[in-house]
Amino acid sequence: MNRYFYLLASALFIFACSDDNSTSPSENQETAGYQHVSIDKENRRIFVNEDAHTEEYCILEQGSFNWGEVSYKAYQDSNPTTYEIHGDTLIVFFYGNTYDPHYYLGGSTDKIYGKWINIGCSKYQDEVYCQPQEDRDFREQYDEFVLTISENKFQEEIVYKPAYFEYDDYMNSMYLSDLYAVLENNYAYPTIGSFGALFSPEQESYIKAVEKERNIEVLEQTKTMKKFKLGGKIFELKITDIERDSLDYRVAISVKSGDKECSYEEQQVNATKENCKDQTTEGLRYYDEERDFQYPLYFRDANMLKTKGLDEFDKCIKEITVSKDTQNGTQTDKADATDSIQTLEAFLEKYDITDYSFDKNVLAYNETSGYCDALQNTCFEAPGISEFRTLGLHRFEANDITALTTIFPHAAAAMNNKIEGCPLYVLNISDSLPAIHILTNITKDTITIVNISDECAYEPRPFDMNVGFLFTYCAELSENPEVVTTQVFDDKMECGTIEYAEYISEKHTNEAFMADMRKAQAEFKKLKAAAKPAVTKAGKK
């Protein structure tokens, strides 16, 4: 797998202070000396090769933290990034993924080397949609994504401006939108942890639009407290014990309704050579001792997230949630959708989708992105897991069961936590705006996906999100099949109703599924044996 320095826009980033009072990736992330960039201008391809080298990390292994070096082998790029330049606009397709273009400004048609600013545009049905210049100017007060292209560096980094660290109106952060969804039982993630969302740049107009749409009445508000009425109940959110030092932070969050109060603490730590040995696994987010004890995990810079009481907080929140619907002024409880296994068929039925269906080979669909930089092995989980979260097509081997059970737990359980039968794959695509993604057809060279969206305007997410399709394919599948996407807009779909959870095929719900898998495996072996070329004295035909 490529180790391009392509940073996902998550809540966690590698950083250091620079001379212009902004914040950007740290010096120990510099690629000079081992990364070599070559550009094929005729075919508009960018190749990134790497020499064998070592990098320093805070390494967690068998329960203990120690600062040490990680060795990387030399790498010859076989999956180049492609690009187009139109005037002063650069369009980049990382790993050649033509369905996920990234748009930049800053250069010219005869000059690709230099620094390019990501302008946050997206493409649907051959139409490019961009934020208005006014919105971009506002956002760039706080941060911007910068892609550097030189002979020894190909790296996209987020640069935080001083205003990002000075802004402290937490009641207008993206966390409010998530909390409202949770309290309405309309939230797809398994936890309501902030994970840095509290510190997103000012989103006042967006939060007010959400409050208006959901009929939320704000009763009282300061920068660290908001009392509001939702679904006939009164809630009070408080942010206390706030400590911030660049991207490091510590904060306590509490939500109260009536006599019930839910609270937890969250901390983000900059892992350095000096403090590495003092770290502990207590409250370390995404760390499962039973699962991860045998794997070395790598941390560096502000990517160590710790929580205290978050699991209890999540359970407590469920006890005070309300339904969006009220009957005769009486609130109606709604079961948490994440507590039960949901099927792909029910997923389509839920949104009244009858014109499209999942390909018969699709076993599951889920949100797959991790809040880390998987490509640089700085995730909270083992690299053997994190690589299956990155964009593109990945094949699961028999020894990848830990990754499968982590990313698709319900599907893995239905498969008896074994990878057997026909080859098993996950295809991850970017989800820049809320959408229903349906993988409708798989052939040797082409995978077809339909994206169905509402016609609502959304603020960009503070982090990139990937969704993935788990599927088997018994016939031959190209190493890099073309992914053809179609964008459909549904004007009848309500705003903010698209939920993200794991959905599995109905054939997972009966014992016949594994029998079918074993039968398909036998057929695949026959086909594979029959397809072997004849061998002559002159060599293979």
Side-chain angles (χ1 to χ4, degrees):
M1 173 177 290
N2 295 38
R3 288 190 61 257
Y4 286 173
F5 286 80
Y6 166 39
L7 304 185
L8 302 183
S10 73
L12 306 174
F13 283 90
I14 302 167
F15 73 99
C17 294
S18 59
D19 294 336
D20 60 357
N21 295 321
S22 61
T23 298
S24 58
S26 61
E27 292 181 2
N28 60 8
Q29 286 295 323
E30 286 301 314
T31 61
Y34 69 81
Q35 194 178 84
H36 307 284
V37 181
S38 60
I39 298 177
D40 177 358
K41 292 187 177 180
E42 181 178 353
N43 297 299
R44 295 177 298 188
R45 297 186 298 177
I46 302 173
F47 293 85
V48 183
N49 299 323
E50 295 182 1
D51 297 333
H53 65 283
T54 61
E55 296 179 29
E56 294 184 332
Y57 292 92
C58 183
I59 304 172
L60 168 59
E61 190 167 14
Q62 296 188 351
S64 298
F65 287 88
N66 289 285
W67 191 261
E69 292 185 340
V70 177
S71 299
Y72 293 100
K73 296 180 180 179
Y75 173 79
Q76 295 295 312
D77 193 356
S78 60
N79 190 21
T81 284
T82 57
Y83 71 92
E84 300 173 7
I85 297 183
H86 303 279
D88 60 354
T89 303
L90 171 69
I91 307 174
V92 177
F93 305 91
F94 289 97
Y95 316 114
N97 290 328
T98 56
Y99 56 85
D100 185 30
H102 293 246
Y103 295 82
Y104 302 86
L105 288 177
S108 62
T109 53
D110 59 350
K111 184 182 178 184
I112 187 171
Y113 288 116
K115 293 185 181 295
W116 298 81
I117 308 300
N118 191 314
I119 54 177
C121 297
S122 57
K123 186 175 183 180
Y124 294 116
Q125 291 186 318
D126 296 325
E127 293 288 335
V128 178
Y129 299 86
C130 297
Q131 287 182 304
Q133 184 66 45
E134 181 181 359
D135 292 347
R136 279 178 41 209
D137 291 342
F138 174 80
R139 177 78 190 193
E140 288 174 4
Q141 296 179 73
Y142 298 99
D143 57 48
E144 60 187 4
F145 289 90
V146 179
L147 174 65
T148 301
I149 305 176
S150 68
E151 293 181 352
N152 57 13
K153 185 175 183 179
F154 182 69
Q155 182 172 354
E156 184 178 39
E157 307 156 301
I158 187 169
V159 176
Y160 290 101
K161 307 296 182 63
Y164 179 91
F165 304 103
E166 295 167 0
Y167 188 77
D168 60 357
D169 190 352
Y170 306 116
M171 294 302 108
N172 281 320
S173 68
M174 290 300 296
Y175 185 67
L176 268 295
S177 176
D178 293 342
L179 180 63
Y180 291 153
V182 168
L183 294 177
E184 289 182 327
N185 277 301
N186 191 22
Y187 189 69
Y189 299 100
T191 179
I192 183 55
S194 162
F195 307 148
L198 269 176
F199 309 110
S200 59
E202 189 250 334
Q203 303 285 334
E204 183 176 2
S205 60
Y206 173 65
I207 297 302
K208 284 186 175 180
V210 170
E211 291 168 348
K212 181 178 180 181
E213 178 186 333
R214 296 179 176 177
N215 198 27
I216 297 170
E217 181 183 358
V218 177
L219 305 175
E220 186 179 347
Q221 179 174 341
T222 67
K223 291 184 176 182
T224 57
M225 182 278 293
K226 180 177 283 192
K227 183 181 289 187
F228 56 92
K229 189 175 183 179
L230 168 63
K233 298 182 70 172
I234 294 178
F235 298 89
E236 184 174 334
L237 167 66
K238 284 186 178 180
I239 310 300
T240 58
D241 302 330
I242 304 166
E243 298 178 14
R244 295 182 69 181
D245 180 9
S246 193
L247 292 181
D248 284 10
Y249 68 82
R250 183 192 299 270
V251 66
I253 299 173
S254 68
V255 179
K256 184 178 181 181
S257 180
D259 296 331
K260 189 78 172 179
E261 184 171 8
C262 313
S263 62
Y264 87 101
E265 298 176 12
E266 182 175 303
Q267 178 185 13
Q268 184 167 286
V269 180
N270 178 19
T272 66
K273 185 175 183 178
E274 289 71 25
N275 67 18
C276 176
K277 207 168 183 62
D278 298 330
Q279 301 303 320
T280 68
T281 59
E282 183 179 1
L284 184 61
R285 197 63 190 159
Y286 310 112
Y287 177 72
D288 184 315
E289 184 174 9
E290 183 176 346
R291 182 191 69 201
D292 299 327
F293 190 79
Q294 60 182 317
Y295 300 103
L297 304 184
Y298 310 110
F299 300 89
R300 184 169 59 193
D301 305 302
N303 72 343
M304 189 177 292
L305 186 66
K306 297 184 177 184
T307 61
K308 182 178 180 181
L310 181 55
D311 292 340
E312 292 77 9
F313 179 78
D314 289 329
K315 294 175 184 177
C316 179
I317 285 289
K318 291 180 181 180
E319 296 177 9
I320 61 175
T321 56
V322 299
S323 170
K324 289 189 296 183
D325 304 317
T326 58
Q327 299 176 357
N328 299 322
T330 303
Q331 68 182 49
T332 305
D333 291 333
K334 185 191 295 183
D336 185 357
T338 61
D339 286 341
S340 60
I341 295 177
Q342 303 175 83
T343 66
L344 295 172
E345 294 74 13
F347 176 59
L348 298 180
E349 183 178 348
K350 175 179 180 179
Y351 296 101
D352 195 26
I353 297 173
T354 57
D355 294 337
Y356 307 97
S357 60
F358 285 94
D359 184 280
K360 64 181 180 180
N361 294 290
V362 177
L363 305 182
Y365 165 76
N366 199 7
E367 188 265 319
T368 55
S369 50
Y371 298 97
C372 56
D373 178 11
L375 303 182
Q376 296 193 55
N377 293 331
T378 57
C379 290
F380 299 104
E381 55 194 12
I385 299 173
S386 60
E387 66 181 86
F388 288 96
R389 297 187 185 278
T390 58
L391 291 172
L393 183 68
H394 310 278
R395 177 171 171 172
F396 288 98
E397 304 296 344
N399 60 350
D400 293 320
I401 188 61
T402 300
L404 180 64
T405 56
T406 301
I407 301 172
F408 292 96
H410 290 156
M415 297 166 66
N416 295 322
N417 294 318
K418 293 180 181 179
I419 298 176
E420 58 183 12
C422 297
L424 184 67
Y425 303 88
V426 60
L427 173 66
N428 293 318
I429 63 173
S430 178
D431 182 81
S432 57
L433 292 171
I436 296 167
H437 306 278
I438 307 170
L439 194 161
T440 59
N441 191 47
I442 305 172
T443 65
K444 175 186 175 182
D445 299 311
T446 306
I447 295 177
T448 305
I449 295 172
V450 174
N451 303 320
I452 303 176
S453 303
D454 54 37
E455 294 189 334
C456 310
Y458 294 96
E459 291 283 342
R461 289 191 178 98
F463 54 86
D464 281 352
M465 194 170 93
N466 302 340
V467 295
F469 304 95
L470 181 71
F471 66 91
T472 59
Y473 198 69
C474 295
E476 182 182 357
L477 185 66
S478 299
E479 184 175 332
N480 190 24
E482 180 184 6
V483 178
V484 179
T485 60
T486 300
Q487 179 66 40
V488 176
F489 292 97
D490 185 349
D491 58 1
K492 296 180 181 178
M493 187 179 297
E494 293 183 23
C495 298
T497 59
I498 297 175
E499 297 181 356
Y500 294 85
E502 183 182 3
Y503 299 89
I504 67 174
S505 171
E506 281 187 355
K507 46 186 178 175
H508 273 66
T509 61
N510 58 69
E511 187 59 32
F513 172 76
M514 289 309 298
D516 289 342
M517 288 282 285
R518 285 188 284 270
K519 181 179 178 181
Q521 181 187 30
E523 293 297 323
F524 178 66
K525 287 182 178 179
K526 290 180 183 179
L527 290 171
K528 192 174 181 180
K532 287 183 178 179
V535 179
T536 66
K537 290 183 180 180
K540 294 183 179 181
K541 290 185 178 179

